[in-house]
Amino acid sequence: MLTTTRLPKSLLRLGCLTALTTILMAGAASAEAVSAKKGETANLVLLPKFLGILPFDQARRGAEEAHKELENKGALQYIGPTPENSVAGQIEMLTTATTQKQHVVMLSNNAGDQISAAAEAAQAAGTKVVTWDSPIPSAKGETVFVAQVDFTQIGVVMADMAHSMMGGSGEFVVLSATPDAANQNAWIAAMNEALKGDKYKDMKLVDTVYGDDQSEKSYNAALALVDKHPNIKVIMAPTSVGIVAAAKALQDEKLCDKIKVSGLGVPAEMVSYTMNGCAPEFALWSFVDLGYLTYYTSYLLAAGAIKGEVGEEIAAGRMGNFKIEKDPTRAAGNRILMGPFTVYNKDNVEAAAN
Ligand code: RAM
């Protein structure tokens, strides 16, 4: 983005329009951004937490769009474990991809730091690891994280959605994905941090439980929360699986007048619960775009056009330019920040669900 502070003072004083326009145009074209050369050979593996849910299918769609656009002569594989075997399955698949000498594994990490040894081994053998959706917490073995949104900000959004649904006071609970999920854990930590603010002083988070991103487990976990904490006003589920399961559980138990669901969900899966008032407000970003941007990043890395270092800028096709920066939400690691996210309610959810 261009700001006037980047223009030389002498120019501003002169108000020289032609020179100013030239500079603005040069800035817009972003001379430093690295563009992808079509037709390279990059063997890429898209490895989500597990297979079988809509957000990851959408990310795959975005990656395939970029794959075609860049006329990659290499292969794009989409592989993943089952939700039940996610941690061990991801580590095994990363190790296999390393043995196969794949150029880049694009990983939505569900294994916490348990995967870092496999990721470091991959890097040592020449297979780069680009994380998306869910990073490696320590960043060990990770080249760069393509962050869907700023993780600190999403914590604040979750606190605010709970605040508005609870009228600013009372008890609420979190129904998360798996206990090791780096993304959900970071969002919950960020929400807890946000809750320290004065605005939220009358809200109390009384429990955090895990439905493992599995529908039935999450459904039962939601029912158990309601039994255990009869006074809760909100179930906050920062998972596309958990939020649907919790909304269905409350609907089935006819509890939506008393308890609301919120969190992160896919509009197409949430629309009926938003319209009937069980889940009045939730947020999400585009997983298609996340897959597309992750692919561009990985293709450029595979081609040797970038190294994944802070300050490098890439041109990511229809999405525009992105800079690699130090990830301010982790102690170590680099990130590319995508954004934005959308907050959905009954006014916009139907249009987004189509
Ligand atoms: C589930 C997964 C994914 C997360 C979304 C919000 O689909 O846990 O990693 O980003 O929820």
Side-chain angles (χ1 to χ4, degrees), residues 50-71:
F50 48 84
L51 296 181
I53 61 169
L54 191 53
F56 298 144
D57 289 344
Q58 291 175 337
R60 177 191 193 177
R61 234 200 296 145
E64 278 172 352
E65 179 193 344
H67 183 70
K68 285 204 191 86
E69 200 167 280
L70 290 169
E71 296 164 20

Side-chain angles (χ1 to χ4, degrees), residues 49 53 55-56 133 183-184 187 213 238-240 264 285 287:
K49 288 178 171 178
I53 61 169
F56 298 144
D133 181 50
N183 54 352
Q184 274 93 7
W187 301 333
D213 262 347
T239 127
S240 70
L264 305 172
W285 47 87
F287 269 88

Side-chain angles (χ1 to χ4, degrees), residues 240-323:
S240 70
V241 179
I243 193 172
V244 177
K248 180 158 181 7
L250 294 189
Q251 180 184 267
D252 290 352
E253 296 296 309
K254 304 200 167 27
L255 283 170
C256 291
D257 283 346
K258 211 177 139 240
I259 306 169
K260 303 292 181 194
V261 174
S262 184
L264 305 172
V266 181
E269 296 179 336
M270 291 301 294
V271 59
S272 65
Y273 303 111
T274 300
M275 296 314 287
N276 74 9
C278 290
E281 204 175 56
F282 65 97
L284 205 68
W285 47 87
S286 166
F287 269 88
V288 176
D289 286 354
L290 187 60
Y292 182 91
L293 180 57
T294 302
Y295 187 100
Y296 260 83
T297 308
S298 304
Y299 180 91
L300 286 164
L301 275 169
I306 56 165
K307 291 201 175 73
E309 285 169 1
V310 171
E312 286 178 319
E313 187 170 5
I314 66 163
R318 63 166 171 78
M319 290 180 67
N321 295 350
F322 293 85
K323 258 213 175 101

Side-chain angles (χ1 to χ4, degrees), residues 174-180 184-185 188 208-213 217-218 221:
V174 166
L175 169 59
S176 189
T178 59
D180 288 325
Q184 274 93 7
N185 286 346
I188 294 167
T208 299
V209 302
Y210 303 89
D212 290 350
D213 262 347
K217 267 196 185 174
S218 303

Side-chain angles (χ1 to χ4, degrees), residues 4 15 31 48 66 106-107 145 167 208 214 235 271 300 302 337:
T4 45
M106 302 176 275
L107 170 75
F145 170 47
T208 299
Q214 295 175 37
I235 299 178
V271 59
L300 286 164
L337 179 60

